[in-house]
Amino acid sequence: MASARRIDPHLFVIHGGTGDLARRKLFPALYRLLTDEGQHGSCHVLGVGRSDLDDVRYRELVREAFIEAGLPTDASQPWCTECLHYQQITDIETGGEVLAGRIREIEKSASLPGNRVFYLALPPQAFSGTIRSIGEAGLNHGEGWTRLVIEKPFGTDLESARELNRLVHHYFDESQVYRIDHYLGKETVQNLSVLRFANTVFESLWKRDRIRSVHITVSELLGLEGRAGYYESTGAFRDMIQNHLTQLVTLLAMEPPARFDAESIRNEKVKVLRSIKALEPDEVVLGQYTSGELDGVQVPGYLDEEGVGSVNLKLAIDNWRWKGVPFFLRTGKRMPKRMTRIVIEFRRPPISMFGSESQVTSNSNRLLITLQPDEAFHLLFEV
């Protein structure tokens, strides 16, 4: 029987600890990880936010998130009581000293060795001030190891990304920094490399003379859900296209890496990105959802939200493997159903030798890779 992985005792600090990402993704993931590994007490979590909350009310908020995620609240309550904390910071620029004091207090009471993770689950415009505040308070280096985790999107354009990088490197070594896209944590996304490179039946067909087109669709039931301020400044392109969907494109289109490690995979992904042609205006379709009824409940349109409906675009990858194969990327909110799916459409037979009376219609063979809500692989072919 395999032994559990050892998780170093540490403090996991979530900036944006009351936000949508923390409630829907981070807390359920942290709890499941620590439960599966049987190491509840090894990780204490400190949520940081503007909301006027104390530890007790914050723990109740997280328990509600666990209920929404389908986790057993009776089992999670002891962990919330023992390992979950909250610190209100109303001014990012000057809140570093307050945060440092609270961190030292928790580490002393929990006998933690000084290992820290600072996770920025924040709107992009808050990254710079938060990083500067952490660094100026001396929290960028401690008695143990320190990690800075920056959620996408990283900058709004090339120059802003470079400026953010300069700020990060002013306070942190590159070895301490993780720029992440949480989409890559999905099991089926991680499985894409195995599907391609562990099965010659697929990899031998993974090229332009066998594949007709590639379709990647991410449709969401939810609308803005109170995030109009974030979405108006970020939009579907920065929220979904340049992050989640582009990561899927690189995993599907990259060449076999020399080794299965982070640096080798990154190098192959970058080659794909450099081969993508600049988009033309007629290759992008934008839209906004309107008001309507969802599950018997009237929901507002995009322009009625307090505080983009959809984006469709076509990518062309100009290299030997993919020249002439269009990649269609689609994403939208308030769609008929929640689904993330990749469709690899293979080329049709050059000649259909079966007459019109035949039940064989010579449709394209397709490989369907479903990432959510139910992970699955389907191969469609004629018999």
Side-chain angles (χ1 to χ4, degrees):
M1 182 178 180
S3 59
R5 293 170 294 175
R6 180 179 177 275
I7 299 174
D8 291 344
H10 67 282
L11 181 63
F12 198 97
V13 183
I14 303 178
H15 289 267
T18 59
D20 181 71
L21 176 61
R23 288 185 287 106
R24 290 201 302 121
K25 302 291 186 182
L26 299 183
F27 281 117
L30 280 169
Y31 179 76
R32 289 188 177 104
L33 172 66
L34 296 167
T35 299
D36 290 345
E37 304 298 345
Q39 301 182 60
H40 269 173
S42 64
C43 173
H44 282 247
V45 179
L46 173 61
V48 179
R50 295 177 178 271
S51 301
D52 184 13
L53 300 171
D54 56 17
D55 286 357
V56 174
R57 286 189 291 167
Y58 188 60
R59 288 163 184 162
E60 184 58 37
L61 183 148
V62 174
R63 278 194 288 268
E64 292 173 3
F66 285 164
I67 292 173
E68 294 175 6
L71 294 171
T73 53
D74 291 343
S76 63
Q77 180 147 351
W79 179 78
C80 289
T81 303
E82 178 187 351
C83 301
L84 191 58
H85 318 272
Y86 181 76
Q87 178 62 52
Q88 182 186 22
I89 299 290
T90 55
D91 188 340
I92 295 176
E93 301 288 347
T94 61
E97 293 299 330
V98 175
L99 180 61
R102 186 65 193 282
I103 286 175
R104 287 192 291 267
E105 173 192 318
I106 294 171
E107 289 178 341
K108 182 178 179 180
S109 63
S111 300
L112 296 175
N115 298 325
R116 300 162 184 167
V117 176
F118 294 96
Y119 195 114
L120 307 190
L122 294 167
Q125 58 268 27
F127 288 169
S128 296
T130 304
I131 293 167
R132 191 176 293 110
S133 177
I134 292 170
E136 291 299 320
L139 294 171
N140 48 336
H141 295 283
E143 296 180 12
W145 49 254
T146 303
R147 301 287 184 265
L148 176 68
V149 184
I150 305 175
E151 260 285 353
K152 59 85 185 171
F154 194 90
T156 57
D157 54 21
L158 180 59
E159 183 51 42
S160 62
R162 285 173 171 167
E163 182 60 34
L164 184 55
N165 251 348
R166 284 192 286 268
L167 178 66
V168 168
H169 289 150
H170 180 73
Y171 295 106
F172 293 89
D173 300 328
E174 179 61 27
S175 61
Q176 296 176 286
V177 182
Y178 290 79
R179 303 166 190 80
I180 72 161
D181 181 345
H182 58 259
Y183 229 66
L184 297 179
K186 294 180 180 293
E187 289 185 7
T188 315
V189 173
Q190 296 179 2
N191 233 336
L192 288 176
S193 297
V194 179
L195 174 75
R196 284 193 55 191
F197 303 127
N199 300 289
T200 55
V201 65
F202 292 124
E203 182 57 21
S204 61
L205 302 176
W206 220 258
K207 50 190 176 181
R208 58 187 175 86
D209 59 339
R210 291 289 180 266
I211 291 178
R212 181 182 183 186
S213 61
V214 178
H215 302 254
I216 304 175
T217 303
V218 178
S219 64
E220 301 178 88
L221 277 172
L222 297 176
L224 297 187
E225 311 302 320
R227 297 195 302 154
Y230 165 74
Y231 215 74
E232 273 293 283
S233 61
T234 303
F237 265 104
R238 294 194 183 111
D239 188 45
M240 298 295 294
I241 296 291
Q242 79 166 22
N243 304 289
H244 301 334
L245 276 75
T246 300
Q247 289 283 2
L248 294 178
V249 168
T250 58
L251 286 171
L252 290 167
M254 72 180 188
E255 296 298 318
R259 291 179 300 277
F260 199 69
D261 58 31
E263 190 68 17
S264 299
I265 293 172
R266 175 193 174 279
N267 290 340
E268 296 304 330
K269 284 182 170 183
V270 169
K271 291 178 184 177
V272 174
L273 295 175
R274 287 175 174 162
S275 299
I276 294 176
K277 289 179 61 178
L279 290 170
E280 298 293 335
D282 61 355
E283 295 173 326
V284 182
V285 179
L286 303 174
Q288 294 177 338
Y289 61 84
T290 58
S291 60
E293 192 172 286
L294 179 65
D295 295 333
V297 178
Q298 191 69 22
V299 292
Y302 179 87
L303 296 177
D304 302 321
E305 296 276 4
E306 294 183 10
V308 165
S310 64
V311 174
N312 302 270
L313 60 88
K314 181 174 74 171
L315 292 182
I317 302 176
D318 270 359
N319 62 19
W320 280 71
R321 183 182 289 265
W322 296 110
K323 177 69 174 179
V325 178
F327 281 68
F328 296 98
L329 278 57
R330 303 182 181 93
T331 183
K333 289 185 177 295
R334 200 72 81 191
M335 303 298 278
K337 62 180 179 179
R338 173 175 172 264
M339 179 190 69
T340 300
R341 175 176 288 176
I342 300 167
V343 178
I344 311 295
E345 183 184 19
F346 294 94
R347 296 193 182 278
R348 290 188 175 92
I351 296 175
S352 177
M353 64 182 68
F354 306 102
S356 59
E357 301 299 320
S358 171
Q359 293 182 349
V360 177
T361 58
S362 293
N363 289 324
S364 296
N365 300 133
R366 288 180 293 160
L367 175 63
L368 277 56
I369 305 169
T370 304
L371 306 182
Q372 63 181 21
D374 301 309
E375 296 87 352
F377 293 86
H378 293 96
L379 181 62
L380 306 183
F381 57 91
E382 300 286 359
V383 291

